[in-house]
Amino acid sequence: MWKMIMGQAIYQLLITFLLYYGAQTVLGYDDELINGQRNTLVFNTFVWMQIFNHNRRLDNKFNIFEGLFQNWFFIGINIAMMGAQVL
């Protein structure tokens, strides 16, 4: 489990730092627009990465999608979070 948590943490840090510090070169933003748009983009990306963070296995098995559609509460909460984020 700690391997999955550390892997997800490193992934999220890399993406967040890339968007925060490299948005001007990667996305081609202008200097006068970068502050507000960059902060919004970084926060929104972080929230979406948290929504799709499926570290829900406690054992060392790799298939994190096994039994995903058997828990309807999990699916409903994820759909509600995605809808709230879009709004």
Side-chain angles (χ1 to χ4, degrees), residues 39-73:
N39 292 340
T40 302
L41 177 69
V42 168
F43 178 74
N44 199 1
T45 304
F46 175 75
V47 170
W48 281 103
M49 284 190 292
Q50 288 300 318
I51 290 173
F52 290 107
N53 180 7
H54 293 296
N55 285 337
R56 51 187 201 94
R57 299 274 324 219
L58 296 177
D59 51 5
N60 285 330
K61 294 183 182 175
F62 187 67
N63 189 5
I64 59 173
F65 299 111
E66 182 180 350
L68 182 67
F69 296 110
Q70 294 174 355
N71 190 347
W72 291 105
F73 289 116

